Structure formats: C-alpha cells, structure tokens
Amino acid sequence: MRKAERLFQLLTLFQGRRRPLTGEQISQLLEVSKRTVYRDIAALQQSGIPIEGEAGVGYVLDRHFLMAPLMFNHDELVAIRLGMSLIRASGDDALCQAAEQVLHKVAAILPDTEKDPFSRSALVVPSLNLAAEIRRHLTVLRGAIRQQQCVQLHYRDEQGQTSQRCIEPLGIMCYVRHWTLIAHCRLRQDYRAFRLDRILSMTVSDDVFDVEEQKSLPHYLESMQQQYNISWFF
DNA sequence: GACAGTGCCTAAAGGACACA
DNA sequence: TGTGTCCTTTAGGCACTGTC
C-alpha cells in the first residue's frame, strides 16, 4: 500500500470514532509496523491534523475535525445557505428540490456543533412568489438551453403588442425580481430579452442550433457589460 | 506494566539517469 | 526500448526513555 493511501486510511479509521486507538491496534489494522504508525501519525500531525496521543490510552482525532474535502468554515457555510435560499426563493420546482437536497447533504456531514448554526441563517431572501406557469417556463427553457433547442415563442411586450417568433435560447437571468430569457431572435437577427411572465405560450421544437462565439451568452454579457457596466454572477 | 515517542541501523522499493 | 547503476525514500526492527 502506498503511503498516501495509508495516511488516508489512517484518517478514515479515526473519522467518527470516539474511543482511542493504540499504536498496536492501528499497526494491525493497516498491516504495518508500529514504527511506521508512529511516523504516519507524526506526518498527519505535521500537516495540521489534530490527532492526540496519550501514553497508556492511545490516539484520538479531535471530534470537531472533518476531512479537508468536506470541511467548510463559517463563511463558506453561510454562502452555501444563502445561495440555496436564493434558489428556493426564485427557482423552479426542480431547482428548489435540488437546493433542498444540497442543504441536507451539507448538513449530514457537519459536526453536531455546526448543524444548528447552519440551519438558522441570519441572511434572509424574500421569495419572488413565482406563478406556477413561470416556474414551468423556467424548467422548459433550462432544458431547451441545455439541449440547444429552438423555441417557438408567443410573446407580449411592454406595450402589449404580441408577436410570434423562433428563438435560440442562450441563458436565463434573474433581473430585478423577474426571470428574463436571453435569446438570439431569428426574426430580428439579434439578441433579445424576454421576461418569462410575459410569455403567452411556447413550444420547444426539434430544430437545434449551434452556439457561435458572436451568438452566445458570454458575448451578450460582454456587450452588456461594455454598454451598461454591469457585472454578472453565474 | 502498558503504551507513546525517538534514535539508529538495515533492507527493500522506486525513481532518475546513462548507455548499448 | 531495455538494462544496469546509483541515489533517495520508505518501512521494519530493536533498544531505549518518558509518562500515566
């Protein structure tokens, strides 16, 4: 067994274990000598792993310690919580469900002392109270964007004028309490933004499109940034 | 007495490099 | 590309000390 694998196994042995492990027990479990165990423990301790050894007792890992890939500091946990709250406040049903699952997964790997603070965030997000139809639009359009499928749109603009058009959906942004679809309009041969709450009806077609550099979401956002000095988060 | 911890030595394994 | 050599790293064994 390679040393890196053995160090990982050693750490795994300690994870979730309250009772101490003696050097002898570890050496038997890992099938190495006690001398090697001592060296491995020293290597982990030098890396900042809080393993404590006591003569006549054995070694224990600090119960608050989590393995690096699953370890979050307080601000990171707040960021995760806030992000999931934003999704639950403004996402469609599938995204809301996914956000709930993320919260459960993160909570499951937190130590007991962090579970309660994580479940009670001081940062709150007001719900957009999206109508069921808009949530459905959001789900359908996310799928069309992913599959690069054209959409036949029946749309009513700000002046109340209606239009029928074929669009290539590129992205969806949450803009001032409204979800807005960014698309390349085949009718106008240019970018157009469509508020989801103004879509009268739509149909995803079998016609697929290619995303080109001059006809893409990054290109659109770059032009908006130059024009209006707006920054975007993904 | 049991076990953690350290120092020293030795052997094996693995990597780097030169050379045919 | 395969082989041999050298050097470094890793791991085991033993003896010993310190601590509870």
Side-chain angles (χ1 to χ4, degrees):
Chain A
M1 187 193 301
R2 293 167 63 176
K3 187 178 181 182
E5 293 171 5
R6 203 179 56 241
L7 291 177
F8 183 78
Q9 276 205 10
L10 182 51
L11 208 46
T12 307
L13 278 179
F14 282 114
Q15 284 281 321
R17 187 186 174 96
R18 300 284 170 85
R19 295 170 62 189
L21 274 169
T22 66
E24 180 71 33
Q25 289 172 319
I26 296 168
S27 70
Q28 286 172 0
L29 288 167
L30 298 183
E31 297 180 324
V32 291
S33 71
K34 278 203 304 177
R35 187 70 189 87
T36 299
V37 170
Y38 291 138
R39 271 193 282 252
D40 287 352
I41 297 257
L44 289 174
Q45 287 171 330
Q46 281 172 10
S47 302
I49 311 293
I51 296 173
E52 290 177 8
E54 196 173 330
V57 178
Y59 292 101
V60 286
L61 176 68
D62 187 322
R63 67 189 184 92
H64 298 302
F65 179 77
L66 288 169
M67 281 203 256
L70 302 178
M71 195 160 54
F72 300 103
N73 64 28
H74 178 75
D75 285 349
E76 288 168 342
L77 288 172
V78 169
I80 291 171
R81 181 89 208 175
L82 178 60
M84 295 307 106
S85 297
L86 282 165
I87 290 171
R88 291 194 296 173
S90 58
D92 59 24
D93 294 347
L95 279 180
C96 288
Q97 195 178 348
E100 285 286 347
Q101 287 171 354
V102 169
L103 289 176
H104 282 129
K105 285 179 182 177
V106 173
I109 56 97
L110 290 178
D112 293 341
T113 52
E114 289 292 336
K115 281 191 197 315
D116 198 42
F118 181 66
S119 66
R120 290 183 292 105
S121 174
L123 300 180
V124 294
V125 179
S127 172
L128 292 188
N129 289 320
L130 293 179
E133 192 179 16
I134 295 177
R135 291 204 301 273
R136 278 196 295 275
H137 286 342
L138 197 50
T139 304
V140 171
L141 287 169
R142 283 198 301 117
I145 291 167
R146 193 168 60 243
Q147 303 296 330
Q148 294 178 216
Q149 290 176 291
C150 294
V151 175
Q152 296 292 337
L153 205 63
H154 186 198
Y155 188 74
R156 184 180 58 230
D157 66 14
E158 203 172 357
Q159 283 76 42
Q161 293 183 326
T162 61
S163 61
Q164 302 261 10
R165 62 186 79 202
C166 177
I167 59 161
E168 298 170 0
L170 301 174
I172 309 170
M173 62 171 68
C174 189
Y175 190 68
V176 197
R177 294 181 60 83
H178 293 292
W179 279 107
T180 303
L181 169 68
I182 306 302
H184 185 265
C185 179
R186 288 187 172 177
L187 177 67
R188 305 298 179 198
Q189 283 299 304
D190 199 2
Y191 293 115
R192 286 292 184 271
F194 304 95
R195 271 175 50 171
L196 265 58
D197 59 327
R198 290 183 183 155
I199 294 176
L200 300 173
S201 66
M202 63 179 180
T203 310
V204 178
S205 74
D206 293 333
D207 189 13
V208 297
F209 61 93
D210 292 321
V211 176
E212 299 162 14
E213 195 179 341
Q214 299 297 313
K215 207 176 72 179
S216 65
L217 184 62
H219 181 254
Y220 169 81
L221 296 178
E222 195 180 319
S223 63
M224 292 293 284
Q225 190 163 12
Q226 286 173 359
Q227 230 173 318
Y228 302 108
N229 195 26
I230 301 173
S231 299
W232 312 96
F233 294 98
F234 297 89

